[in-house]
Amino acid sequence: MTETSKTEPVQADPRTPEQIRRSRNKVLGLSLAAFVVLVFLISIAKMG
Amino acid sequence: MYGPGTMTTTSPSSTAATALPADWRDLIALTKPRVISLVIFTGLCGLLAAPGAIHPVLGFTAILCIAMGAGGAAALNQWWEADLDAGMKRTANRPLPQGRLDRTTARDFAGVLCAVSVFLMGFAVGWLPAAILAVSIFYYSVVYTIWLKPRTPQNIVIGGGAGAFPPLIGWVAVTGHVTLMPVLLFAIIFFWTPPHFWALALFVKSDYAKVGIPMMPVVAGEKSTRRQILAYAVLLLPLTAAPWWIGGTGAFYGISALVLSGLFLLLSIRVGLRERTGPEDRMKPEKQLFAYSILYLFVLFAALVADRFIML
């Protein structure tokens, strides 16, 4: 395969690497917190 | 044979290292959220239609695990097929072909999603649904993506099984065992997948041909594909009504299934008995069948759940 399709050009991300990393870490932190809460709720549900 | 780094392309993913860190939106895009919405819906329907009850937290966890497993398998698929995706117009803007995400991050993210989904399902809901979830992930990412897709035009027939697992898992999460009803739900999606996908493949044939994927219209030709779409649509009619005939559902579902599948068959007849008129053919019947096939599955499974609550 030597040819690629012509596609719409994707605009460059205007954010700095630090902003992207901070945004990703926030989402990761929230996901982990939600996971801890879920495991706690599962434990309660299984005891009931 | 293709796979990570085995093909030469001019895609950004293989020509330059990713300068920016991975954005969480690109990680979400790796999981194919639109496909997952159908997976979540059919899994939820399997869970709600099953006889018995499940604690809401455990039910939510079961659906979350199905979604995470499907997302992980989809991410593994994109990791493996990044070079192929770069060559197809429909997929060239995905994060990996665009170089917005590096392959290692994609692979690790997919692996974590798959592992967490299976272990959380086992811990919270049960090890039988967890085992079926693990099989579905293996089926999609290895049997379909790596093994069948590049080798046989029947790839989508056998690989369609991967998408058929969610209602089975949802059902087993409630009942704890496999019976004929969830197997029928599995079979409905299994036999729905080929006409759904081949309708799409008929109007994006050139893309698949360009990257060497042996999709049915590319290998067997349009005429054979159209006949096979029709054959599967004929099969779907009695199959979707079977849950009613075995007494697993009431008349509401049964009549809905017959009407919906009858319309599916009519649209398939239009596709099955026509031929492309030329390069100017806009393939309207094929596009209509593809669009209807998505609506069909949503409404069919919604009718299954509605019927369960009518029967209560």
Short mmCIF file of all heavy atoms in Angstrom, two decimals, chain A residues 14-31:
data_model
loop_
_atom_site.label_atom_id
_atom_site.label_comp_id
_atom_site.label_asym_id
_atom_site.label_seq_id
_atom_site.Cartn_x
_atom_site.Cartn_y
_atom_site.Cartn_z
N PRO A 14 -4.60 23.64 19.38
CA PRO A 14 -4.01 24.91 19.81
C PRO A 14 -3.46 24.87 21.24
O PRO A 14 -2.75 25.79 21.65
CB PRO A 14 -5.18 25.90 19.72
CG PRO A 14 -6.40 25.06 19.86
CD PRO A 14 -6.07 23.70 19.34
N ARG A 15 -3.76 23.80 21.99
CA ARG A 15 -3.34 23.75 23.39
C ARG A 15 -1.87 23.34 23.51
O ARG A 15 -1.32 22.67 22.64
CB ARG A 15 -4.21 22.76 24.16
CG ARG A 15 -5.67 23.19 24.26
CD ARG A 15 -6.52 22.10 24.85
NE ARG A 15 -6.44 20.88 24.04
CZ ARG A 15 -6.85 19.68 24.45
NH1 ARG A 15 -7.35 19.54 25.66
NH2 ARG A 15 -6.76 18.64 23.67
N THR A 16 -1.25 23.72 24.63
CA THR A 16 0.14 23.33 24.87
C THR A 16 0.15 21.90 25.40
O THR A 16 -0.85 21.42 25.93
CB THR A 16 0.78 24.26 25.92
OG1 THR A 16 0.07 24.07 27.15
CG2 THR A 16 0.73 25.70 25.50
N PRO A 17 1.30 21.19 25.28
CA PRO A 17 1.38 19.83 25.82
C PRO A 17 1.00 19.77 27.30
O PRO A 17 0.36 18.83 27.75
CB PRO A 17 2.84 19.47 25.61
CG PRO A 17 3.27 20.28 24.45
CD PRO A 17 2.51 21.57 24.55
N GLU A 18 1.37 20.83 28.03
CA GLU A 18 1.06 20.85 29.47
C GLU A 18 -0.45 20.89 29.70
O GLU A 18 -0.99 20.21 30.59
CB GLU A 18 1.74 22.08 30.10
CG GLU A 18 1.70 22.09 31.63
CD GLU A 18 2.25 20.82 32.26
OE1 GLU A 18 3.28 20.30 31.78
OE2 GLU A 18 1.62 20.34 33.21
N GLN A 19 -1.16 21.67 28.89
CA GLN A 19 -2.63 21.76 29.01
C GLN A 19 -3.29 20.43 28.68
O GLN A 19 -4.22 20.00 29.36
CB GLN A 19 -3.17 22.86 28.08
CG GLN A 19 -2.91 24.26 28.59
CD GLN A 19 -3.33 25.31 27.56
OE1 GLN A 19 -3.06 25.18 26.37
NE2 GLN A 19 -3.98 26.35 28.02
N ILE A 20 -2.78 19.78 27.65
CA ILE A 20 -3.35 18.48 27.25
C ILE A 20 -3.11 17.46 28.36
O ILE A 20 -4.00 16.70 28.74
CB ILE A 20 -2.71 18.00 25.93
CG1 ILE A 20 -3.09 18.94 24.78
CG2 ILE A 20 -3.14 16.57 25.61
CD1 ILE A 20 -2.38 18.65 23.48
N ARG A 21 -1.89 17.46 28.90
CA ARG A 21 -1.54 16.51 29.95
C ARG A 21 -2.39 16.74 31.19
O ARG A 21 -2.89 15.79 31.80
CB ARG A 21 -0.05 16.63 30.28
CG ARG A 21 0.50 15.44 31.04
CD ARG A 21 2.01 15.50 31.21
NE ARG A 21 2.71 15.21 29.97
CZ ARG A 21 3.50 16.06 29.33
NH1 ARG A 21 3.68 17.29 29.80
NH2 ARG A 21 4.11 15.72 28.22
N ARG A 22 -2.58 18.02 31.54
CA ARG A 22 -3.37 18.35 32.74
C ARG A 22 -4.83 17.90 32.56
O ARG A 22 -5.42 17.31 33.46
CB ARG A 22 -3.32 19.86 33.00
CG ARG A 22 -3.77 20.23 34.41
CD ARG A 22 -3.61 21.72 34.69
NE ARG A 22 -2.23 22.17 34.61
CZ ARG A 22 -1.83 23.31 34.04
NH1 ARG A 22 -2.71 24.11 33.48
NH2 ARG A 22 -0.58 23.66 34.02
N SER A 23 -5.36 18.14 31.38
CA SER A 23 -6.74 17.74 31.08
C SER A 23 -6.88 16.22 31.16
O SER A 23 -7.83 15.69 31.73
CB SER A 23 -7.11 18.26 29.69
OG SER A 23 -8.15 17.54 29.14
N ARG A 24 -5.90 15.50 30.61
CA ARG A 24 -5.94 14.03 30.65
C ARG A 24 -5.83 13.52 32.07
O ARG A 24 -6.53 12.58 32.47
CB ARG A 24 -4.80 13.46 29.79
CG ARG A 24 -4.89 11.97 29.58
CD ARG A 24 -3.67 11.45 28.87
NE ARG A 24 -2.46 11.66 29.64
CZ ARG A 24 -1.23 11.43 29.17
NH1 ARG A 24 -1.06 11.02 27.93
NH2 ARG A 24 -0.18 11.63 29.93
N ASN A 25 -4.96 14.12 32.86
CA ASN A 25 -4.78 13.68 34.24
C ASN A 25 -6.03 13.91 35.08
O ASN A 25 -6.35 13.11 35.97
CB ASN A 25 -3.57 14.39 34.87
CG ASN A 25 -2.27 13.89 34.27
OD1 ASN A 25 -2.26 12.91 33.54
ND2 ASN A 25 -1.18 14.59 34.55
N LYS A 26 -6.75 15.02 34.79
CA LYS A 26 -8.02 15.27 35.50
C LYS A 26 -9.01 14.15 35.21
O LYS A 26 -9.66 13.62 36.12
CB LYS A 26 -8.62 16.61 35.03
CG LYS A 26 -8.17 17.80 35.85
CD LYS A 26 -8.91 19.04 35.35
CE LYS A 26 -8.17 20.30 35.74
NZ LYS A 26 -8.64 21.47 35.02
N VAL A 27 -9.13 13.78 33.94
CA VAL A 27 -10.07 12.72 33.55
C VAL A 27 -9.65 11.40 34.18
O VAL A 27 -10.49 10.65 34.70
CB VAL A 27 -10.14 12.60 32.01
CG1 VAL A 27 -10.97 11.40 31.59
CG2 VAL A 27 -10.74 13.87 31.42
N LEU A 28 -8.35 11.13 34.19
CA LEU A 28 -7.84 9.89 34.79
C LEU A 28 -8.15 9.86 36.29
O LEU A 28 -8.61 8.85 36.84
CB LEU A 28 -6.33 9.77 34.56
CG LEU A 28 -5.66 8.52 35.08
CD1 LEU A 28 -6.20 7.27 34.37
CD2 LEU A 28 -4.14 8.59 34.90
N GLY A 29 -7.92 11.00 36.96
CA GLY A 29 -8.19 11.10 38.40
C GLY A 29 -9.67 10.88 38.71
O GLY A 29 -10.02 10.12 39.63
N LEU A 30 -10.53 11.52 37.92
CA LEU A 30 -11.98 11.35 38.12
C LEU A 30 -12.40 9.90 37.88
O LEU A 30 -13.23 9.35 38.60
CB LEU A 30 -12.75 12.30 37.19
CG LEU A 30 -12.75 13.77 37.59
CD1 LEU A 30 -13.39 14.63 36.48
CD2 LEU A 30 -13.51 13.99 38.90
N SER A 31 -11.81 9.27 36.85
CA SER A 31 -12.14 7.87 36.54
C SER A 31 -11.74 6.96 37.70
O SER A 31 -12.49 6.06 38.09
CB SER A 31 -11.43 7.41 35.27
OG SER A 31 -11.74 8.26 34.21
#
